[in-house]
Amino acid sequence: MRIFPFLLALTAVAACSPATNETGEAFTATGEIIAMSGGEGGPANACFSCHGLDGGGDGASVPRLAGLDVGYLQKQLSDYANDLRSDPAMTLIARRLDDEDQRAVAAWYAAMTPPSMIATGAPAPDIYLHGDPARGVTACASCHGPEGLGVGAGNPAISGQPAAYTVDQLQRFQRAERRNDPRGVMTDAAAGLTDDEMRTIAAWLERAPTAPPPASDAASASAARTAAEGSAASREPRRPGR
């Protein structure tokens, strides 16, 4: 019978095929390894080759990842992989990472300390802090904080990003080329901005601190005193004419 040789051949093929992709697992074992090796995408797709060993970006058009919210980073990778955020390079890279790999590399960068920035100490532009209600322009600070450090989950820090990158993203939102913002918030926010306003906001953010200043005892005492005074004032009875 010819069945026996066929079974032997089939067994030999099965024996040569590994039960798991041990090579792939080795290159995706941790978020750090993915960032440094490119995971199964290989060295050409290593995150650090564009975003730097410190996760700070290239200072020109590639954003910093270090210290950003882990949920935000993971969402961007997922959006790239699923064509919700368009970028030829990042789409190919993200598609080589499964959900677990995306979580791991996002956590790696989120845990990194942001690179120290030489902050200018310049005040935030008025359009950033207050927007322009007459034109329907929302204040950036309402979601990203007065210093660009983010406000809660889903509202990422945007300080310390290259100005060219920030302008590019604002323009993409304005042209509806980037549409992965929840409920179209950023699309609406960018819609009324002029190119000059975008550049002004981006230039300030590039030199804004990437971490809040350490609270001193004097600052803490001052904040506590201000809060106490405000609380006391709120309990005062209203008088005629006030």
Side-chain angles (χ1 to χ4, degrees):
M1 295 179 66
R2 296 182 177 275
I3 296 177
F4 183 68
F6 173 77
L7 290 177
L8 283 177
L10 186 62
T11 302
V13 170
C16 294
S17 301
T20 60
N21 186 357
E22 294 180 1
T23 301
E25 290 177 357
F27 284 106
T28 59
T30 67
E32 180 180 10
I33 290 176
I34 295 170
M36 296 300 114
S37 72
E40 293 188 58
N45 295 313
C47 308
F48 87 90
S49 62
C50 290
H51 296 282
L53 290 171
D54 62 355
D58 66 354
S61 60
V62 178
R64 79 168 171 97
L65 306 179
L68 295 185
D69 177 72
V70 62
Y72 173 79
L73 290 174
Q74 184 180 344
K75 181 182 185 303
Q76 301 315 300
L77 285 170
S78 177
D79 288 351
Y80 281 128
N82 293 289
D83 285 327
L84 296 177
R85 181 175 177 180
S86 178
D87 184 272
M90 282 303 305
T91 295
L92 291 175
I93 292 169
R95 283 179 177 172
R96 299 298 296 265
L97 305 175
D98 62 24
D99 291 345
E100 185 176 344
D101 295 339
Q102 291 174 10
R103 282 193 295 271
V105 75
W108 164 251
Y109 278 110
M112 293 180 75
T113 301
S116 298
M117 303 296 295
I118 303 175
T120 62
D126 187 72
I127 191 70
Y128 177 90
L129 289 175
H130 306 294
D132 188 344
R135 289 187 290 143
V137 177
T138 305
C140 309
S142 63
C143 291
H144 298 288
E147 296 178 324
L149 296 173
V151 178
N155 298 315
I158 53 177
S159 60
Q161 295 290 19
Y165 169 79
T166 299
V167 169
D168 179 54
Q169 296 308 303
L170 287 171
Q171 290 176 338
R172 290 190 186 202
F173 277 122
Q174 192 176 65
R175 295 191 299 259
E177 294 174 359
R178 178 176 172 182
R179 296 177 291 177
N180 69 325
D181 51 322
R183 301 181 302 281
V185 171
M186 279 303 303
T187 301
D188 293 341
L193 290 173
T194 67
D195 286 344
D196 283 345
E197 287 170 337
M198 291 181 190
R199 286 191 289 268
T200 297
I201 290 169
W204 175 77
L205 284 170
E206 186 175 50
R207 292 300 180 184
T210 55
S216 65
D217 292 341
S220 299
S222 175
R225 183 167 57 252
T226 300
E229 290 170 354
S231 178
S234 68
R235 292 195 297 270
E236 288 183 5
R238 286 191 172 272
R239 299 171 186 166
R242 289 188 64 182

